[in-house]
Amino acid sequence: MRLRKALALTAVLVAAAATAPTAAADIGAGGGARPAPALPSRAQATCGDGKSTAFPIGARIRGGPAVYRTGGEPQTWYLDLTNTTDSTCTAIHPVVVLTDKTRALRPAHLRMEFEAPSGTLPVSLERTDRDEIIAVFDGGDAFPGFTVGPGGSLTVKVGLSFAPDAPTGEVLADAALVQRKGDDGDWIGEAGGYRFSVEGPEDPGEAGSLAHTGPGERAYGAGALAALAAGGGLLLGARRLRRPAP
């Protein structure tokens, strides 16, 4: 689906997200969140043959901690990408949406970076008018995107940390995968709910526990996925990925 058309599908996608079960995450135990079911109208990327109703790139988030400490060192999680087609997919940019319950989180409160073939690169952070944080894997416009060969897989290592003055509480991270097409892009995959908490440096934590999603948290997770699907985050990510005019 072309990103600039995402808002036209807001009502359909919000309704679908609200009624679909929340993807279960197996964070830290070698598993990951399963991609949410794709609607035919939102899986028309040219990465594959363009005829399948499924996203051409499967994705999952795994390996992340359940607790981040404000002012602490970066902690690692992983985004696995799998090309389900028989063609090479290029120019793949993850776009992560971070949603906290109080909507107090701001770009200055966190730092995110990712590993690319050229080295460790920064993630661009922006805030939407819905007070979500959009993290675009663009390397400050220096990154051409990931390439995944036919039937191949790729793991992206991500580092995340929070500033000493970051608000504490629960945060949900969802990811969309965008294939850049000049000044626009196609939505080619998604990964559901990595849930964690941000706590102060002296707060009692549960460092050994696993991040999770579950039926009791479905309303919160569905709301975050609906916000992502509605296009605000994707459109902001698309603008961030646009090449500067010569």
Side-chain angles (χ1 to χ4, degrees), residues 77-100:
W77 50 273
Y78 301 91
L79 179 61
D80 293 333
L81 311 179
T82 301
N83 186 347
T84 64
T85 76
D86 57 3
S87 61
T88 297
C89 292
T90 61
I92 300 171
H93 293 265
V95 177
V96 174
V97 178
L98 299 166
T99 309
D100 64 311

Side-chain angles (χ1 to χ4, degrees), residues 71-133:
E73 294 296 319
Q75 299 201 64
T76 299
W77 50 273
Y78 301 91
L79 179 61
D80 293 333
L81 311 179
T82 301
N83 186 347
T84 64
T85 76
D86 57 3
S87 61
T88 297
C89 292
T90 61
I92 300 171
H93 293 265
V95 177
V96 174
V97 178
L98 299 166
T99 309
D100 64 311
K101 282 188 173 181
T102 62
R103 304 300 174 111
L105 196 62
R106 298 294 183 264
H109 290 144
L110 64 141
R111 177 183 175 85
M112 189 182 295
E113 57 188 19
F114 67 100
E115 287 193 1
S118 60
T120 301
L121 298 174
V123 171
S124 296
L125 301 170
E126 298 188 40
R127 184 169 65 94
T128 73
D129 57 6
R130 298 173 60 103
D131 292 328
E132 302 116 346
I133 302 299

Side-chain angles (χ1 to χ4, degrees), residues 26-32 61-66 68 75-79 194 211:
D26 184 16
I27 305 298
I61 298 172
R62 65 173 176 87
Y68 290 81
Q75 299 201 64
T76 299
W77 50 273
Y78 301 91
L79 179 61
Y194 168 29

Side-chain angles (χ1 to χ4, degrees), residues 56-246:
I57 300 292
R60 66 173 184 171
I61 298 172
R62 65 173 176 87
V67 175
Y68 290 81
R69 299 291 182 179
T70 57
E73 294 296 319
Q75 299 201 64
T76 299
W77 50 273
Y78 301 91
L79 179 61
D80 293 333
L81 311 179
T82 301
N83 186 347
T84 64
T85 76
D86 57 3
S87 61
T88 297
C89 292
T90 61
I92 300 171
H93 293 265
V95 177
V96 174
V97 178
L98 299 166
T99 309
D100 64 311
K101 282 188 173 181
T102 62
R103 304 300 174 111
L105 196 62
R106 298 294 183 264
H109 290 144
L110 64 141
R111 177 183 175 85
M112 189 182 295
E113 57 188 19
F114 67 100
E115 287 193 1
S118 60
T120 301
L121 298 174
V123 171
S124 296
L125 301 170
E126 298 188 40
R127 184 169 65 94
T128 73
D129 57 6
R130 298 173 60 103
D131 292 328
E132 302 116 346
I133 302 299
I134 305 301
V136 183
F137 289 50
D138 62 352
D141 293 323
F143 177 57
F146 293 105
T147 296
V148 185
S153 297
L154 175 70
T155 295
V156 182
K157 182 179 179 181
V158 183
L160 174 62
S161 61
F162 290 84
D165 62 343
T168 58
E170 188 176 79
V171 179
L172 178 66
D174 291 296
L177 303 179
V178 175
Q179 184 181 42
R180 179 155 62 182
K181 300 280 188 178
D183 286 344
D184 202 1
D186 290 333
W187 186 1
I188 60 173
E190 64 181 18
Y194 168 29
R195 194 184 305 274
F196 56 86
S197 65
V198 178
E199 299 182 4
E202 303 300 326
D203 292 348
E206 299 177 357
S209 64
L210 302 181
H212 64 284
T213 58
E217 298 155 329
R218 181 173 300 168
Y220 177 36
L225 285 172
L228 174 63
L234 287 176
L235 289 170
L236 181 56
R239 290 199 299 270
R240 189 66 188 84
L241 288 171
R242 287 176 183 169
R243 302 177 191 275

